[in-house]
Amino acid sequence: QGQLVESGGGVVQTGTSLILSCTPSGRSISLYTMAWFRRAPGKEREFVAAITWGDRSPLYADSVKGRFIVSRDSAKSTVTLQMNSLKLEDTATYYCAASRTRGLGLTPRAVDYGDWGQGTQVTVSS
């Protein structure tokens, strides 16, 4: 069904906000769980947030909880990540991921996601 495509990255200052978007090429209804991960230079891939198709609240990493908000548009095709109060440690390449496994629910494990985007760079400076 094609790859996921991220957009919205850029260079911003600490304390500001940025919105990232993820759009699948195929039908989003077949992607039960969508998630965001990030990787900073010299660090391992890190879970950021996950959202599924339903009323269940999204899952957030402790490092971004209260600052980041993951959501989907009215068409339920595009998933967005609203990043607020950005910090220097938020600097990373952000990746969108998706799972086609029905009933998977919310998971922070990268191995549970089979579809990935190419990433978008976010740089936070002082």
Side-chain angles (χ1 to χ4, degrees):
Q1 294 292 324
Q3 297 181 335
L4 303 174
V5 180
E6 306 98 335
S7 63
V11 180
V12 297
Q13 292 187 339
T14 57
T16 63
S17 299
L18 196 65
I19 300 177
L20 305 182
S21 297
C22 174
T23 303
S25 60
R27 295 182 301 170
S28 61
I29 59 174
S30 65
L31 305 176
Y32 295 97
T33 305
M34 305 287 291
W36 288 94
F37 291 81
R38 66 186 182 185
R39 186 191 297 275
K43 298 180 63 178
E44 297 180 343
R45 180 174 49 192
E46 177 186 31
F47 170 77
V48 177
I51 189 170
T52 188
W53 309 116
D55 297 328
R56 184 175 180 179
S57 299
L59 177 67
Y60 297 96
D62 290 339
S63 60
V64 305
K65 193 172 186 178
R67 296 190 300 120
F68 291 10
I69 301 174
V70 63
S71 61
R72 68 183 87 250
D73 63 12
S74 59
K76 301 187 183 301
S77 58
T78 299
V79 178
T80 64
L81 182 68
Q82 171 74 56
M83 304 185 295
N84 303 310
S85 302
L86 285 165
K87 305 175 180 179
L88 293 176
E89 53 265 42
D90 292 321
T91 295
T93 300
Y94 284 72
Y95 299 91
C96 182
S99 173
R100 297 189 176 96
T101 302
R102 180 183 288 107
L104 174 66
L106 301 173
T107 173
R109 303 189 305 170
V111 295
D112 289 329
Y113 298 91
D115 296 279
W116 294 82
Q118 294 300 306
T120 184
Q121 179 66 38
V122 174
T123 302
V124 184
S125 64
S126 61

Short mmCIF file of all heavy atoms in Angstrom, two decimals, residues 68-107:
data_model
loop_
_atom_site.label_atom_id
_atom_site.label_comp_id
_atom_site.label_asym_id
_atom_site.label_seq_id
_atom_site.Cartn_x
_atom_site.Cartn_y
_atom_site.Cartn_z
N PHE A 68 3.28 16.99 24.07
CA PHE A 68 2.92 16.56 22.71
C PHE A 68 1.50 16.01 22.68
O PHE A 68 1.02 15.42 23.65
CB PHE A 68 3.88 15.46 22.23
CG PHE A 68 5.28 15.93 21.96
CD1 PHE A 68 5.71 17.19 22.33
CD2 PHE A 68 6.18 15.08 21.32
CE1 PHE A 68 7.01 17.61 22.08
CE2 PHE A 68 7.47 15.49 21.07
CZ PHE A 68 7.89 16.75 21.45
N ILE A 69 0.83 16.19 21.54
CA ILE A 69 -0.52 15.67 21.34
C ILE A 69 -0.59 14.99 19.98
O ILE A 69 -0.29 15.61 18.96
CB ILE A 69 -1.58 16.77 21.41
CG1 ILE A 69 -1.54 17.49 22.77
CG2 ILE A 69 -2.98 16.19 21.17
CD1 ILE A 69 -2.46 18.69 22.86
N VAL A 70 -0.99 13.73 19.96
CA VAL A 70 -1.16 13.00 18.71
C VAL A 70 -2.65 12.90 18.40
O VAL A 70 -3.47 12.69 19.29
CB VAL A 70 -0.52 11.60 18.78
CG1 VAL A 70 -1.19 10.73 19.83
CG2 VAL A 70 -0.54 10.93 17.41
N SER A 71 -3.01 13.09 17.14
CA SER A 71 -4.41 13.06 16.75
C SER A 71 -4.54 12.67 15.28
O SER A 71 -3.54 12.55 14.57
CB SER A 71 -5.07 14.42 17.01
OG SER A 71 -4.44 15.43 16.24
N ARG A 72 -5.78 12.52 14.83
CA ARG A 72 -6.06 12.21 13.43
C ARG A 72 -7.08 13.21 12.89
O ARG A 72 -7.88 13.76 13.64
CB ARG A 72 -6.54 10.77 13.27
CG ARG A 72 -7.91 10.51 13.87
CD ARG A 72 -8.29 9.04 13.74
NE ARG A 72 -7.79 8.26 14.87
CZ ARG A 72 -6.81 7.38 14.80
NH1 ARG A 72 -6.21 7.13 13.64
NH2 ARG A 72 -6.43 6.72 15.89
N ASP A 73 -7.07 13.44 11.59
CA ASP A 73 -7.98 14.39 11.01
C ASP A 73 -9.37 13.79 10.87
O ASP A 73 -9.60 12.62 11.17
CB ASP A 73 -7.46 14.91 9.66
CG ASP A 73 -7.34 13.81 8.62
OD1 ASP A 73 -7.87 12.70 8.83
OD2 ASP A 73 -6.73 14.07 7.57
N SER A 74 -10.33 14.61 10.38
CA SER A 74 -11.71 14.17 10.27
C SER A 74 -11.88 13.01 9.30
O SER A 74 -12.79 12.19 9.46
CB SER A 74 -12.60 15.34 9.84
OG SER A 74 -12.18 15.87 8.60
N ALA A 75 -11.03 12.93 8.32
CA ALA A 75 -11.07 11.84 7.34
C ALA A 75 -10.37 10.58 7.85
O ALA A 75 -10.41 9.54 7.21
CB ALA A 75 -10.45 12.28 6.03
N LYS A 76 -9.71 10.70 9.00
CA LYS A 76 -8.99 9.59 9.62
C LYS A 76 -7.94 9.00 8.69
O LYS A 76 -7.71 7.79 8.67
CB LYS A 76 -9.96 8.51 10.10
CG LYS A 76 -10.97 9.00 11.11
CD LYS A 76 -11.79 7.86 11.66
CE LYS A 76 -12.85 8.38 12.63
NZ LYS A 76 -12.25 9.11 13.76
N SER A 77 -7.30 9.87 7.96
CA SER A 77 -6.24 9.44 7.06
C SER A 77 -4.88 10.00 7.48
O SER A 77 -3.88 9.29 7.42
CB SER A 77 -6.56 9.85 5.62
OG SER A 77 -6.73 11.25 5.53
N THR A 78 -4.88 11.26 7.89
CA THR A 78 -3.65 11.91 8.30
C THR A 78 -3.52 11.94 9.82
O THR A 78 -4.45 12.35 10.51
CB THR A 78 -3.58 13.35 7.76
OG1 THR A 78 -3.60 13.33 6.33
CG2 THR A 78 -2.32 14.05 8.23
N VAL A 79 -2.39 11.51 10.32
CA VAL A 79 -2.10 11.54 11.75
C VAL A 79 -1.12 12.67 12.01
O VAL A 79 -0.12 12.80 11.30
CB VAL A 79 -1.52 10.20 12.23
CG1 VAL A 79 -1.17 10.28 13.71
CG2 VAL A 79 -2.52 9.08 11.99
N THR A 80 -1.40 13.47 13.01
CA THR A 80 -0.55 14.61 13.32
C THR A 80 0.05 14.50 14.70
O THR A 80 -0.47 13.82 15.58
CB THR A 80 -1.33 15.93 13.23
OG1 THR A 80 -2.37 15.95 14.23
CG2 THR A 80 -1.96 16.10 11.86
N LEU A 81 1.18 15.16 14.88
CA LEU A 81 1.84 15.24 16.17
C LEU A 81 2.07 16.71 16.47
O LEU A 81 2.91 17.35 15.84
CB LEU A 81 3.16 14.48 16.17
CG LEU A 81 3.92 14.45 17.50
CD1 LEU A 81 3.14 13.62 18.53
CD2 LEU A 81 5.32 13.88 17.32
N GLN A 82 1.31 17.23 17.42
CA GLN A 82 1.46 18.61 17.87
C GLN A 82 2.50 18.64 18.97
O GLN A 82 2.30 18.06 20.04
CB GLN A 82 0.12 19.15 18.38
CG GLN A 82 0.21 20.51 19.06
CD GLN A 82 0.42 21.64 18.08
OE1 GLN A 82 -0.35 21.82 17.15
NE2 GLN A 82 1.47 22.41 18.31
N MET A 83 3.62 19.29 18.71
CA MET A 83 4.71 19.36 19.67
C MET A 83 4.78 20.76 20.26
O MET A 83 5.00 21.73 19.54
CB MET A 83 6.04 18.99 19.00
CG MET A 83 6.02 17.63 18.32
SD MET A 83 7.63 17.15 17.66
CE MET A 83 7.84 18.41 16.40
N ASN A 84 4.58 20.84 21.56
CA ASN A 84 4.59 22.11 22.26
C ASN A 84 5.75 22.17 23.25
O ASN A 84 6.30 21.16 23.66
CB ASN A 84 3.27 22.32 23.01
CG ASN A 84 2.06 22.26 22.11
OD1 ASN A 84 2.00 22.92 21.08
ND2 ASN A 84 1.06 21.46 22.50
N SER A 85 6.09 23.39 23.65
CA SER A 85 7.15 23.60 24.64
C SER A 85 8.40 22.80 24.30
O SER A 85 8.95 22.08 25.13
CB SER A 85 6.64 23.23 26.04
OG SER A 85 5.50 24.00 26.39
N LEU A 86 8.84 22.94 23.08
CA LEU A 86 9.96 22.14 22.59
C LEU A 86 11.24 22.41 23.38
O LEU A 86 11.53 23.55 23.75
CB LEU A 86 10.19 22.41 21.11
CG LEU A 86 9.16 21.74 20.19
CD1 LEU A 86 9.22 22.34 18.79
CD2 LEU A 86 9.40 20.24 20.14
N LYS A 87 11.98 21.34 23.61
CA LYS A 87 13.24 21.39 24.34
C LYS A 87 14.38 20.98 23.43
O LYS A 87 14.17 20.36 22.39
CB LYS A 87 13.18 20.47 25.56
CG LYS A 87 12.03 20.72 26.50
CD LYS A 87 12.00 19.69 27.61
CE LYS A 87 10.85 19.93 28.57
NZ LYS A 87 10.81 18.90 29.65
N LEU A 88 15.60 21.28 23.85
CA LEU A 88 16.77 20.90 23.07
C LEU A 88 16.82 19.40 22.85
O LEU A 88 17.21 18.94 21.77
CB LEU A 88 18.05 21.37 23.76
CG LEU A 88 18.27 22.88 23.85
CD1 LEU A 88 19.54 23.16 24.64
CD2 LEU A 88 18.36 23.50 22.47
N GLU A 89 16.43 18.63 23.85
CA GLU A 89 16.48 17.18 23.75
C GLU A 89 15.42 16.59 22.83
O GLU A 89 15.41 15.38 22.59
CB GLU A 89 16.36 16.53 25.14
CG GLU A 89 15.16 17.01 25.94
CD GLU A 89 15.50 18.15 26.89
OE1 GLU A 89 16.26 19.05 26.48
OE2 GLU A 89 15.01 18.12 28.03
N ASP A 90 14.53 17.42 22.30
CA ASP A 90 13.56 16.96 21.32
C ASP A 90 14.16 16.90 19.93
O ASP A 90 13.51 16.41 19.00
CB ASP A 90 12.33 17.87 21.30
CG ASP A 90 11.51 17.79 22.58
OD1 ASP A 90 11.37 16.67 23.12
OD2 ASP A 90 11.02 18.84 23.03
N THR A 91 15.35 17.40 19.76
CA THR A 91 16.03 17.36 18.47
C THR A 91 16.25 15.92 18.04
O THR A 91 16.89 15.14 18.75
CB THR A 91 17.37 18.09 18.53
OG1 THR A 91 17.14 19.48 18.78
CG2 THR A 91 18.12 17.95 17.22
N ALA A 92 15.71 15.55 16.88
CA ALA A 92 15.81 14.18 16.39
C ALA A 92 15.16 14.08 15.02
O ALA A 92 14.49 15.00 14.57
CB ALA A 92 15.13 13.21 17.37
N THR A 93 15.36 12.94 14.40
CA THR A 93 14.60 12.60 13.21
C THR A 93 13.35 11.87 13.67
O THR A 93 13.44 10.87 14.38
CB THR A 93 15.41 11.71 12.26
OG1 THR A 93 16.59 12.40 11.85
CG2 THR A 93 14.59 11.37 11.02
N TYR A 94 12.20 12.35 13.27
CA TYR A 94 10.93 11.78 13.71
C TYR A 94 10.36 10.88 12.62
O TYR A 94 10.27 11.26 11.46
CB TYR A 94 9.94 12.89 14.05
CG TYR A 94 10.23 13.55 15.37
CD1 TYR A 94 11.32 14.40 15.52
CD2 TYR A 94 9.42 13.31 16.48
CE1 TYR A 94 11.61 14.98 16.74
CE2 TYR A 94 9.70 13.89 17.70
CZ TYR A 94 10.79 14.73 17.83
OH TYR A 94 11.08 15.31 19.04
N TYR A 95 9.95 9.68 13.03
CA TYR A 95 9.43 8.68 12.11
C TYR A 95 7.99 8.32 12.44
O TYR A 95 7.63 8.15 13.60
CB TYR A 95 10.27 7.40 12.17
CG TYR A 95 11.72 7.58 11.79
CD1 TYR A 95 12.67 7.89 12.75
CD2 TYR A 95 12.12 7.45 10.47
CE1 TYR A 95 14.00 8.06 12.40
CE2 TYR A 95 13.45 7.62 10.11
CZ TYR A 95 14.38 7.92 11.08
OH TYR A 95 15.69 8.08 10.74
N CYS A 96 7.19 8.18 11.41
CA CYS A 96 5.83 7.69 11.55
C CYS A 96 5.83 6.19 11.33
O CYS A 96 6.55 5.68 10.46
CB CYS A 96 4.92 8.39 10.53
SG CYS A 96 3.19 7.90 10.63
N ALA A 97 5.04 5.47 12.10
CA ALA A 97 4.95 4.02 11.99
C ALA A 97 3.51 3.57 12.08
O ALA A 97 2.67 4.26 12.65
CB ALA A 97 5.78 3.34 13.08
N ALA A 98 3.22 2.40 11.51
CA ALA A 98 1.86 1.88 11.52
C ALA A 98 1.87 0.36 11.62
O ALA A 98 2.81 -0.30 11.19
CB ALA A 98 1.11 2.32 10.26
N SER A 99 0.78 -0.18 12.17
CA SER A 99 0.59 -1.62 12.29
C SER A 99 -0.72 -2.02 11.65
O SER A 99 -1.74 -1.35 11.83
CB SER A 99 0.61 -2.05 13.75
OG SER A 99 0.27 -3.42 13.88
N ARG A 100 -0.70 -3.13 10.92
CA ARG A 100 -1.90 -3.68 10.30
C ARG A 100 -2.51 -4.80 11.15
O ARG A 100 -3.46 -5.45 10.72
CB ARG A 100 -1.58 -4.22 8.90
CG ARG A 100 -1.11 -3.17 7.90
CD ARG A 100 -1.05 -3.76 6.51
NE ARG A 100 -0.70 -2.78 5.50
CZ ARG A 100 0.52 -2.58 5.05
NH1 ARG A 100 1.53 -3.29 5.54
NH2 ARG A 100 0.75 -1.66 4.13
N THR A 101 -2.00 -5.01 12.34
CA THR A 101 -2.48 -6.08 13.21
C THR A 101 -3.73 -5.65 13.95
O THR A 101 -3.68 -4.76 14.80
CB THR A 101 -1.39 -6.48 14.21
OG1 THR A 101 -0.22 -6.90 13.50
CG2 THR A 101 -1.88 -7.62 15.08
N ARG A 102 -4.84 -6.31 13.65
CA ARG A 102 -6.09 -6.03 14.34
C ARG A 102 -5.99 -6.41 15.81
O ARG A 102 -5.53 -7.49 16.14
CB ARG A 102 -7.24 -6.79 13.67
CG ARG A 102 -8.59 -6.56 14.33
CD ARG A 102 -9.69 -7.39 13.68
NE ARG A 102 -10.05 -6.90 12.36
CZ ARG A 102 -9.71 -7.50 11.23
NH1 ARG A 102 -9.02 -8.63 11.26
NH2 ARG A 102 -10.08 -6.98 10.08
N GLY A 103 -6.43 -5.52 16.67
CA GLY A 103 -6.42 -5.79 18.10
C GLY A 103 -5.10 -5.52 18.79
O GLY A 103 -4.97 -5.78 19.99
N LEU A 104 -4.11 -5.02 18.05
CA LEU A 104 -2.82 -4.73 18.66
C LEU A 104 -2.96 -3.68 19.75
O LEU A 104 -2.33 -3.77 20.81
CB LEU A 104 -1.83 -4.25 17.60
CG LEU A 104 -0.47 -3.77 18.10
CD1 LEU A 104 0.29 -4.94 18.72
CD2 LEU A 104 0.33 -3.14 16.97
N GLY A 105 -3.76 -2.67 19.51
CA GLY A 105 -3.93 -1.60 20.48
C GLY A 105 -2.74 -0.67 20.49
O GLY A 105 -2.03 -0.52 19.50
N LEU A 106 -2.51 -0.07 21.64
CA LEU A 106 -1.42 0.88 21.79
C LEU A 106 -0.18 0.18 22.33
O LEU A 106 -0.22 -0.50 23.35
CB LEU A 106 -1.83 2.01 22.74
CG LEU A 106 -3.06 2.82 22.31
CD1 LEU A 106 -3.46 3.79 23.40
CD2 LEU A 106 -2.79 3.55 21.00
N THR A 107 0.93 0.36 21.63
CA THR A 107 2.18 -0.26 22.04
C THR A 107 3.35 0.66 21.74
O THR A 107 3.38 1.33 20.71
CB THR A 107 2.40 -1.61 21.34
OG1 THR A 107 3.70 -2.10 21.65
CG2 THR A 107 2.27 -1.46 19.82
#
